[in-house]
């Protein structure tokens, strides 16, 4: 999948967005409307304001997720092309890519028909594989859920945990995930 996306001959921002979302399990709207102001290269951290997330409850903290070394590389390359504008993944002019563009690219590469793979299903793949390989990273259930910005439904539990900052717990998990993807790609293509 990674090699096929890297070889995608369509729009450079769509290719970069697909590579990015393999590593960072964002919803399509957050992915396509990602702004440079949300990226802190020095701290290797993505912070999306709560008001831009699916769950907009302002009593909850902003979405924060550490960025692996692989993601930083993707963003640095993209910054050379779009860093002069607000949006990370530009379409034309100053506008972000359409949230359907990554799925359309997957369709053109044959993934949607053959494997039913969409950008949203990357989130499910992420959650399934980090659960499967729990013994390799030892992330807690809450940490895994925070990576996806899944919020506690029960008000009583949420009242006690809603301000918890999982950034430090997410760092090793997100680096493990990027390393896992990289190793999987190398094994599949005989590069290891």
């Amino acid at each position: 999948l990674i090699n096929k996306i890297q070889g995608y001959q369509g729009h450079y921002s769509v290719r970069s967005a697909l590579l990015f979302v393999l590593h960072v399990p964002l919803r399509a709207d957050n992915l396509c409307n990602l702004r440079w102001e949300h990226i802190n290269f020095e701290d290797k951290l993505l912070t999306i304001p709560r008001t831009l997330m699916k769950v907009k409850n302002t009593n909850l903290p902003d979405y924060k997720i550490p960025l692996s070394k692989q993601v930083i590389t993707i963003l640095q390359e993209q910054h050379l092309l779009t860093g002069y504008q607000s949006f990370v993944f530009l379409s034309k002019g100053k506008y972000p890519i359409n949230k359907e563009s990554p799925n359309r690219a997957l369709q053109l590469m044959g993934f949607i028909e053959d494997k039913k793979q969409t950008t949203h299903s990357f989130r499910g793949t992420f959650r399934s594989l980090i659960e499967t390989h729990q013994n390799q990273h030892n992330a807690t259930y809450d940490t895994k859920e925070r990576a996806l910005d899944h919020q506690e439904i029960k008000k009583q539990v949420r009242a006690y945990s809603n301000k918890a900052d999982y950034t430090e717990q997410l760092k090793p998990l997100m680096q493990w995930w990027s390393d896992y993807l990289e190793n999987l790609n190398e094994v599949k293509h005989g590069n290891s």
Side-chain angles (χ1 to χ4, degrees):
L1 179 63
I2 293 173
N3 276 355
K4 205 162 190 180
I5 291 171
Q6 287 172 333
Y8 176 64
Q9 296 299 310
H11 197 278
Y12 65 90
S13 280
V14 174
R15 181 179 56 247
S16 294
L18 284 169
L19 290 171
F20 180 88
V21 79
L22 281 172
H23 295 270
V24 181
L26 290 179
R27 292 179 178 92
D29 192 54
N30 295 120
L31 170 69
C32 295
N33 290 295
L34 191 63
R35 294 176 174 267
W36 285 116
E37 67 190 62
H38 302 154
I39 309 291
N40 183 325
F41 281 104
E42 186 176 323
D43 294 340
K44 298 178 183 169
L45 187 66
L46 166 65
T47 304
I48 300 177
R50 176 55 45 198
T51 55
L52 299 177
M53 298 302 291
K54 181 179 179 181
V55 177
K56 299 182 184 328
N57 182 340
T58 54
N59 291 320
L60 296 171
D62 292 339
Y63 176 74
K64 290 183 182 179
I65 196 151
L67 302 172
S68 67
K69 63 183 179 186
Q70 292 89 336
V71 172
I72 291 295
T73 298
I74 293 165
L75 288 171
Q76 287 171 335
E77 291 172 2
Q78 186 67 12
H79 193 266
L80 295 172
L81 301 169
T82 66
Y84 65 95
Q85 287 287 354
S86 297
F87 294 101
V88 174
F89 305 114
L90 284 180
S91 177
K92 293 181 180 172
K94 60 182 180 178
Y95 301 102
I97 59 173
N98 184 291
K99 69 179 186 175
E100 293 304 320
S101 295
N103 285 337
R104 178 71 178 126
L106 288 172
Q107 185 179 27
L108 290 171
M109 288 183 269
F111 285 106
I112 291 180
E113 290 89 0
D114 296 346
K115 299 175 179 67
K116 307 296 183 213
Q117 192 73 20
T118 65
T119 55
H120 192 77
S121 64
F122 289 178
R123 290 169 55 82
T125 300
F126 166 81
R127 189 63 173 89
S128 295
L129 287 172
I130 62 171
E131 198 65 44
T132 299
H133 298 287
Q134 172 67 28
N135 64 332
Q136 295 177 23
H137 55 73
N138 294 315
T140 66
Y141 173 83
D142 289 334
T143 302
K144 292 180 269 189
E145 288 296 283
R146 286 296 172 105
L148 294 166
D149 197 46
H150 288 168
Q151 301 297 328
E152 175 61 49
I153 295 171
K154 295 179 185 174
K155 288 183 181 180
Q156 296 84 355
V157 175
R158 197 170 61 228
Y160 290 102
S161 66
N162 71 344
K163 297 295 183 191
D165 185 344
Y166 285 83
T167 306
E168 289 304 312
Q169 295 95 315
L170 282 163
K171 281 180 183 177
L173 175 63
M174 299 314 295
Q175 188 58 59
W176 176 86
W177 176 242
S178 285
D179 291 343
Y180 175 82
L181 291 174
E182 190 173 71
N183 291 335
L184 193 66
N185 190 50
E186 288 175 359
V187 168
K188 181 171 176 135
H189 293 89
N191 299 331
S192 62

